[in-house]
Amino acid sequence: MPFYHMWTIGCQMNKADSQHIACYLEQIGYQASSKVEEAEIIVLNSCVVRQSAEDRVINKLNALKSIKKTHNPLLVLTGCMVESNMDDLMYRFPQVDLFFRPQAFSELVQFLTDRHLAPDELEPDSILPKPSPSTFVPIIEGCDNFCSYCIVPYRRGRERSRPMEEIIGEVAELASCGTKEVILLGQKVDSYGHDLPEKPDLAKLLTGLNRVDGLARIRFLTSHPKDMNERLIEAMAYLDKVCEHLSLPFQAGDDEILHTMRRGYTIEQYRALVDRIRYAIPDIALSTDVIVGFPGESEEQFHRTFDLLRELRFDTVHVAAYSPRPGTIASRKLTDDVPPEEKVIRREIIEQLQKGIATELNVRLMGSTVEVLVEGQKNDKWWGRTRGDKLVFFKDEADCLGQIVKIRVEKTGPWSLQGSLIYDRQRGEFPDMTKAIPKMQPGNLSTHIVI
Ligand code: SAM
Ligand code: SF4
């Protein structure tokens, strides 16, 4: 069987796209390989959200020049590096045989079909994601927000929601093949449905997915604070399969910077939203993204970001140093005036702060029993995640892959937990952790916050 090699960097959307491409290549008879030398097709899935990611893609493309000369595989580049006008890319990277935008998957199908490497009858839309215990399911592509620093809307286009029935059908099929958890993806996942004829929203989709047999968990990301509404909070609180986990980037702790970023909310509104979510779902694990060193960010403004992180105590924080992206509003209109070494210092300050907070939050889980969906094995340990997205490692002889198990937490650190399996050896089975735990009723939720 011929081999393909896939290389991916960037966000979960890229990972989902790579899973989709891998699935297609496997359906037409290729097998995955970690060795570029033996691959007949090499696919690079790129990210250009920051210069550092773009540099890695360029290095990879340059490193593949010699393989192209000696082995002549088909070299394919996709992801956010691919613009609609590809002339510049074609000039810079002549070793690449096909460039296709992430939203133009059918171009890959056409390219391989034209070369008689794929059968004519395989429709691009008929390709399912590969079922794994936890599977990404994109539900809305693109972004209409145009935050001033961000290149995503230019590369991934305008928002396009997938029909609800199509998503529910796909998730039901995945669940019947063993998927226990789906992670619904979108750059602004909470604006799902506004562009569809019947205008369903994410709360409605979650309600439909909650009824899928065999599915135990539902997550979704990334939420935009200005699109997160009361219906969605209620759905999260009420639906038993929806995990107590939310990714809600605030990006900056200062209103002036937020305004220049074109984020569409103030810190007071963000704080009120977090209060509301924590009231409705008391054990929610929150994750956020922040950017440090945005143009004009003073020491004082940076400290407001620091203070907000210290006050709200997130479970996870992704911190990035501002990187000007050609073509974005910020790169055209604002001066990148925070020196690179200052950006590094600010990033490290946030990382240190978060390490302390995450350590304290995780220590509280010591001795408790957590529910873990086992996703894989690393060295001699199984690993998986709790409903609150905590990474957990444990050792056991049994085959735990895809099981939802109980783990007693015996060691905690800032980034993961370790423990041992609570296993009913006499009965020879795992305790049933998939039973729905009743949640708060929607009637208990009264206050409304509209951002
Ligand atoms: N849609 C999500 C949102 O609204 O927050 C995030 C999508 S973006 C691709 C992922 C993260 O990359 C952002 O949350 C932001 O923190 C970071 N990011 C985007 N553009 C950036 C830039 N020019 N410089 C540094 N970080 C950036
Ligand atoms: Fe980028 Fe803003 Fe859209 Fe997120 S909401 S993808 S940060 S433009």
Side-chain angles (χ1 to χ4, degrees):
M1 209 183 249
F3 289 104
Y4 72 92
H5 174 86
M6 177 85 73
W7 182 87
T8 309
I9 59 166
C11 63
Q12 279 84 352
M13 193 62 95
N14 268 18
K15 289 178 192 155
D17 289 344
S18 288
Q19 276 182 0
H20 190 67
I21 296 167
C23 225
Y24 168 65
L25 293 176
E26 285 167 28
Q27 279 183 33
I28 62 168
Y30 286 78
Q31 196 181 327
S33 169
S34 56
K35 298 183 192 132
V36 278
E37 303 79 25
E38 66 181 14
E40 291 185 16
I41 300 178
I42 299 176
V43 182
L44 305 187
N45 196 348
S46 62
C47 171
V48 289
V49 161
R50 288 184 285 279
Q51 187 61 48
S52 53
E54 186 167 350
D55 291 345
R56 284 182 61 196
V57 183
I58 294 170
N59 290 342
K60 189 78 187 171
L61 280 164
N62 288 336
L64 286 172
K65 268 187 195 160
S66 58
I67 291 281
K68 181 73 190 163
K69 271 197 194 130
T70 52
H71 294 65
N72 198 25
L74 283 177
L75 185 51
V76 177
L77 182 73
T78 184
C80 290
M81 193 163 175
V82 184
E83 300 179 64
S84 44
N85 181 348
M86 294 163 199
D87 293 350
D88 179 53
L89 284 175
M90 285 175 175
Y91 176 74
R92 288 165 66 203
F93 307 110
Q95 67 273 40
V96 174
D97 299 285
L98 172 72
F99 299 93
F100 76 94
R101 305 182 80 199
Q103 55 272 44
F105 172 71
S106 58
E107 289 175 17
L108 172 68
V109 176
Q110 194 61 53
F111 178 82
L112 296 178
T113 311
D114 290 348
R115 279 157 189 74
H116 306 292
L117 297 170
D120 294 344
E121 66 275 13
L122 198 61
E123 286 292 320
D125 290 345
S126 68
I127 296 147
L128 267 177
K130 209 174 180 171
S132 50
S134 173
T135 307
F136 292 126
V137 177
I139 62 165
I140 174 167
E141 299 271 355
C143 181
D144 293 350
N145 219 57
F146 290 91
C147 296
S148 63
Y149 52 82
C150 185
I151 200 163
V152 169
Y154 302 90
R155 298 297 164 89
R156 288 210 171 242
R158 306 304 294 265
E159 287 167 15
R160 299 168 312 278
S161 303
R162 294 177 62 199
M164 226 176 88
E165 310 70 50
E166 184 183 304
I167 299 167
I168 294 174
E170 181 171 302
V171 171
E173 177 110 20
L174 286 167
S176 72
C177 297
T179 287
K180 295 274 171 55
E181 171 183 283
V182 286
I183 306 178
L184 309 178
L185 295 181
Q187 297 295 345
K188 263 164 77 229
V189 74
D190 40 6
S191 60
Y192 171 77
H194 71 89
D195 54 327
L196 292 173
E198 293 187 349
K199 307 218 177 305
D201 61 4
L202 184 55
K204 191 166 180 195
L205 177 63
L206 293 175
T207 309
L209 290 173
N210 203 64
R211 296 192 195 109
V212 171
D213 284 340
L215 189 71
R217 294 177 171 187
I218 306 166
R219 302 181 195 279
F220 55 90
L221 50 95
T222 302
S223 297
H224 194 297
K226 86 178 157 54
D227 295 326
M228 182 94 204
N229 61 25
E230 189 59 25
R231 264 177 62 81
L232 183 53
I233 298 171
E234 292 202 7
M236 283 191 80
Y238 184 62
L239 300 169
D240 63 292
K241 293 182 184 174
V242 178
C243 291
E244 299 74 24
H245 167 223
L246 190 69
S247 171
L248 194 66
F250 73 83
Q251 308 295 4
D254 177 82
D255 284 341
E256 206 182 307
I257 300 269
L258 280 180
H259 180 73
T260 322
M261 285 180 163
R262 296 165 53 103
R263 288 291 292 176
Y265 51 86
T266 64
I267 283 309
E268 234 6 82
Q269 287 171 319
Y270 185 85
R271 194 181 267 124
L273 179 62
V274 169
D275 281 356
R276 175 73 195 104
I277 293 167
R278 284 184 165 158
Y279 173 76
I281 312 152
D283 46 354
I284 188 116
L286 286 178
S287 143
T288 200
D289 294 5
V290 298
I291 296 178
V292 296
F294 187 75
E297 185 189 65
S298 64
E299 281 270 332
E300 225 184 347
Q301 287 171 318
F302 164 68
H303 276 287
R304 289 200 187 107
T305 299
F306 180 92
D307 289 343
L308 194 66
L309 289 169
R310 198 165 49 176
E311 175 194 329
L312 295 180
R313 294 170 68 79
F314 293 89
D315 292 77
T316 315
V317 175
H318 303 282
V319 52
Y322 171 71
S323 169
R325 301 286 66 211
T328 58
I329 301 164
S331 87
R332 282 185 273 123
K333 299 200 171 158
L334 305 171
T335 311
D336 180 22
D337 54 0
V338 178
E341 53 286 3
E342 179 60 26
K343 287 182 187 168
V344 172
I345 293 171
R346 292 182 188 181
R347 198 186 66 212
E348 286 173 353
I349 291 174
I350 301 284
E351 282 167 352
Q352 277 312 310
L353 169 72
Q354 185 54 28
K355 190 174 175 188
I357 293 172
T359 303
E360 287 168 17
L361 292 178
N362 288 350
V363 156
R364 296 200 307 214
L365 295 169
M366 189 71 182
S368 67
T369 300
V370 291
E371 179 201 292
V372 174
L373 169 60
V374 184
E375 293 183 51
Q377 211 171 11
K378 198 171 180 191
N379 304 324
D380 58 344
K381 286 183 180 157
W382 293 104
W383 66 270
R385 291 180 187 275
T386 65
R387 286 177 61 105
D389 207 38
K390 305 274 179 200
L391 183 60
V392 182
F393 292 94
F394 66 97
K395 274 190 185 174
D396 201 86
E397 299 294 303
D399 180 4
C400 303
L401 187 66
Q403 303 279 350
I404 295 184
V405 296
K406 274 184 181 174
I407 300 292
R408 184 170 299 110
V409 178
E410 289 158 351
K411 200 172 167 194
T412 67
W415 321 125
S416 66
L417 314 172
Q418 292 194 37
S420 54
L421 184 69
I422 302 174
Y423 179 67
D424 189 342
R425 288 186 192 278
Q426 270 181 346
R427 289 174 60 202
E429 63 188 33
F430 296 100
D432 181 7
M433 292 295 289
T434 55
K435 287 229 166 67
I437 301 156
K439 284 202 190 176
M440 186 185 281
Q441 297 299 306
N444 296 351
L445 309 171
S446 50
T447 38
H448 280 250
I449 289 169
V450 180
I451 282 191

